[in-house]
Amino acid sequence: MQSISPETIYRGNYAWEKSLPQISKLTKSPLILGRGINTNNLRHKIFIDLKNQKLSVNSANLQFDCCYEDISRIKKIISKNNHDSVIAAGGGKVLDSGKYIAESLNIPCITVPLSASTCAGWTALSNIYTKNGQFIEDFALRSCPKILVFDHKFIKTAPLRTLASGIADALAKWYESSITSSTINDGLVQQAIQISRVLRDQLLIDGQKAFNSEFENNPSWRNTIEACGLTAGLVGGIGGEKCRTAAAHAIHNAITQIIAPNKFLHGEIVGVGLLLQLKLEEMKNNNKLADQSIKQLMVLLKELSLPTTIAELGINVFENNNLEKIADFTCRDKSEIHFLPFEIHKRDIVEVITNFEQKKIKI
Ligand SMILES: [Zn+2]
C-alpha cells in the first residue's frame, strides 16, 4: 500500500478560503493545532473563519516538539472534546504531530503549512523527536493528509529563514535518492529520482531569486515555495520508502542529539549534512563530481545565509565528545547512512567531519 499524495490539494493565494466549503463538509468539530506565537494571528484567522462556517472549533498548541509527550497530551484533549479532525497549521513539527495524532485516533488530518520550510504538509511520515528536539525515529503513516491547503498568502508571512531551510531540505532529495536508489529496478522509483533532479535544477535556478526579491508576482518565489512544500513531498510519495534518504538526513539526526543553545531548523541542519555526504562520496566512493557539487552548493547555501559547518550550528565538535557522539548516532544500526552503496564506519564520519570543520575554521 502506498499513499502518493493528499486526497485534495488547494494551492495559491486564497487557497484557505477556497478550501472552507470542503472542510465544513468533512468536519464539524476540528481541533486547530499549532505552536509558535509568530503564527498566532494566522491561526486566529483560521479559527474565526471556521467559526463562521458554524463549526465547533477549539485550538491547542504544542509545548515542545513533535514528541510523544505533546502527542499524548493533545490526544487526550481531542478525545475529551470529541473533535472529529485535526487541522495542523504551522511548520514541520506541527504538521508531523497533527498527522500522527489524527492517524492514531482514526480521524482526518488537514494540513495548513504556514511556511515552505518542509514538505511535511504532504507526506505520510512523521519525524518524532524528544522534548528537547533530539531525533528519535521516522514514523511511517498509513496515508497522506486528507486535505492540504498550501495558501501562498500564509506562506508569505513566514520568516525568510524558513524558505532557505526548505530549499536545503528539498535539494537533499536528489543527492540522497540518486545515490541510494538509482539501481533499484522499479520504474516509479526511477521516475521519482528524476523528478528530484528537476526539482534540484529549479531550486538552483530560482532559489536565490526567490530569497532575494519581492514576493508579489514573482514566479521564482512561487516555483520555489511549491518545490519545497509540494514537489519534495511528491517525490517521497511516488518513490515510497525505496526512494530513500541517506547521509544528509542521517547526519542531521545525529547532530540533533547534541543540545545547542540555539535551535536550528530542520533544513538548516540537513544542508550541512548534505555537504558532509558529498565529502563522504568523494572520499569513499571516488565520486569525482562530488567536489564540484560541494562548490556549487556552498555558493547557494551562503547566498541563502544558511550554515555550512557544524560550528555554524553552534556546536564545537571538538568539545565534550561531540564528534564521537555524532559519529556514533550516524552509524547506529538503523541509521539511513547504511543505505549508501558503500560501507561507512565511525572512523569515516570522524575523519570527514574533522577535515571539514578544521578546514573551515582556518578559512
Ligand atoms: Zn528533511
Side-chain angles (χ1 to χ4, degrees), residues 169 249 266 270:
D169 195 30
H249 275 80
H266 174 81
V270 170

Side-chain angles (χ1 to χ4, degrees), residues 28 124 299 324 353:
K28 296 298 163 223
V299 173
E324 191 81 1
I353 293 180

Side-chain angles (χ1 to χ4, degrees), residues 42 197 210 226 299 330:
L42 284 178
R197 186 180 53 75
E226 295 204 325
V299 173
T330 306

